Amino acid sequence: MAKLQMSLKARALKYLSAREHSRLELARKLARYAQETDDIDALLDALEAAKLLSQSRFSESLVHRRAARFGNSRILSELQSHGIEGDALDDIKASLAQDETARAREVWKKKFRQAPADAAERAKQMRFLQQRGFSMRAIQGAMRAIDQSED
């Protein structure tokens, strides 16, 4: 027996019930299932009008999921890849900058637990934080705090 095909709206609601999606991400997912007569943009506009799809909720959700593990540049890059730009991105950037050093220190604690013994190990730990997307200012602040706590 043939499988019943879901409508695009039902599929979109299924995706949105699992987690928040950006408009760009949801359009990409729905494009695979769209027929020639389907209008994805109209559907997305209707979902936004019904407040089922929200760029600001998506942004908050992504920042909340990523902030404990990644630095500002990595989070902002991911937001840009999802189509978040302009004032919304500037607001998020300002709020993330407030606690980046503390977040870098927490990520460091989870990974290393003890201060570096020599310069090579210190460089390795700093590279780790840099790969996670933390700024050099936040990394240096975190390493200073770690050195002071060891004294």
Side-chain angles (χ1 to χ4, degrees):
M1 203 163 160
K3 255 189 184 176
L4 291 177
Q5 288 213 339
M6 273 200 237
S7 69
L8 272 186
K9 184 175 183 178
R11 196 172 294 278
L13 292 173
K14 178 182 169 195
Y15 288 138
L16 289 171
S17 69
R19 69 169 174 86
E20 294 292 334
H21 286 71
S22 69
R23 183 182 175 99
L24 183 64
E25 179 183 24
L26 192 57
R28 235 183 266 142
K29 285 184 174 185
L30 292 175
R32 289 183 253 170
Y33 303 100
Q35 304 295 325
E36 289 180 19
T37 58
D38 292 333
D39 189 7
I40 294 175
D41 286 330
L43 174 62
L44 296 176
D45 290 339
L47 291 172
E48 282 181 338
K51 300 201 184 311
L52 296 172
L53 178 65
S54 169
Q55 294 287 72
S56 63
R57 272 198 324 260
F58 169 75
S59 300
E60 289 173 18
S61 172
L62 189 133
V63 168
H64 180 73
R65 287 191 321 257
R66 303 284 192 253
R69 294 181 11 222
F70 298 110
N72 294 359
S73 62
R74 178 111 173 234
I75 294 170
L76 293 173
S77 173
E78 189 169 348
L79 284 169
Q80 286 174 331
S81 73
H82 284 283
I84 309 297
E85 295 175 348
D87 292 338
L89 197 62
D90 293 338
D91 293 342
I92 293 167
K93 189 177 194 177
S95 69
L96 281 173
Q98 295 172 358
D99 66 340
E100 187 180 23
T101 303
R103 289 186 294 117
R105 192 170 53 246
E106 289 302 313
V107 169
W108 178 89
K109 280 182 187 177
K110 285 181 185 176
K111 175 74 175 175
F112 297 106
R113 296 190 181 117
Q114 54 184 306
D118 57 5
E121 191 173 335
R122 182 181 184 87
K124 175 185 171 187
Q125 292 178 3
M126 290 176 75
R127 276 193 310 273
F128 169 78
L129 291 173
Q130 197 171 19
Q131 289 169 348
R132 288 291 180 110
F134 291 101
S135 68
M136 278 310 288
R137 187 175 46 143
I139 293 169
Q140 290 169 344
M143 295 307 282
R144 257 192 310 277
I146 290 160
D147 290 341
Q148 289 173 356
S149 69
E150 289 294 315
D151 292 342

